[in-house]
Amino acid sequence: MTVGIPAPPSPTTPTARGGRLLIAAGLVLLVAAGAGVAWWQARTAESTASGTYATMAAAALPDSSARAPEGTRIRVRVLNVGGVPGLARRATNHLREYGFDVVDFGSGRSDGDTRTRISNHTSHADWPIRVQRALGVGVIGTDPDTSRYGDLTVYLGRDWRPPTETLRP
């Protein structure tokens, strides 16, 4: 009788084939799940583009008419009247990226209206249109302001959706 170390099972044993089948089945399920997620996102994007979701806000337009004119200082006040925490700060950052000089931001009293309103305090009719294009939403009105603290006041409602912020280290 010889005593020795048992040899490892060969790769063609039934247990090795079963492990390979399990791995192959797992990969097929992973690919199928990824395809399902891609299909769902494409379907959701089509629904949004066709206007099915009326609550989603339009994205800001990328053209130059959404920016402050070069060499012109447009002073903007941003007031959050929608009741969403942090909305005025995010709109301030967004408008500054478009070249507007946000001189003040904060929270205001909510009057129950969920729409964003832009009040023009100057005779420049194109300035509130530029802010409206930068935000993607807003109803424009005029409200003379003799203090001249700001050229425009943006009353942010719940209809404005801030763009996603990138993670900063």
Side-chain angles (χ1 to χ4, degrees):
M1 180 163 135
T2 37
V3 177
I5 301 174
S10 68
T12 57
T13 61
T15 57
R17 275 186 264 145
R20 286 186 188 151
L21 283 174
L22 187 61
I23 291 174
L27 287 174
V28 168
L29 285 174
L30 185 64
V31 169
V37 168
W39 171 81
W40 183 261
Q41 287 179 343
R43 183 175 169 259
T44 304
E46 288 173 8
S47 296
T48 303
S50 66
T52 302
Y53 299 108
T55 59
M56 296 188 81
L61 301 176
D63 63 0
S64 62
S65 65
R67 302 188 64 74
E70 196 67 33
T72 303
R73 180 180 179 211
I74 301 176
R75 296 170 299 180
V76 180
R77 288 183 66 203
V78 177
L79 294 175
N80 178 4
V81 296
V84 179
L87 201 61
R89 177 192 54 83
R90 297 202 51 200
T92 295
N93 293 338
H94 182 73
L95 288 173
R96 285 179 177 164
E97 288 177 7
Y98 280 85
F100 295 98
D101 182 16
V102 180
V103 294
D104 186 25
F105 70 94
S107 295
R109 276 194 356 211
S110 177
D111 58 359
D113 193 0
T114 60
R115 295 178 303 163
T116 297
R117 298 179 317 278
I118 303 166
S119 290
N120 186 7
H121 308 303
T122 67
S123 60
H124 299 281
D126 63 320
W127 288 2
I129 295 171
R130 290 175 181 270
V131 170
Q132 181 186 40
R133 288 183 182 215
L135 292 174
V137 294
V139 177
I140 299 172
T142 56
D143 183 23
D145 184 11
T146 57
S147 69
R148 301 290 295 158
Y149 178 69
D151 299 318
L152 305 170
T153 301
V154 176
Y155 300 96
L156 281 173
R158 290 182 180 262
D159 60 344
W160 184 69
R161 299 284 185 251
T164 56
E165 291 181 344
T166 58
L167 295 175
R168 296 184 183 147

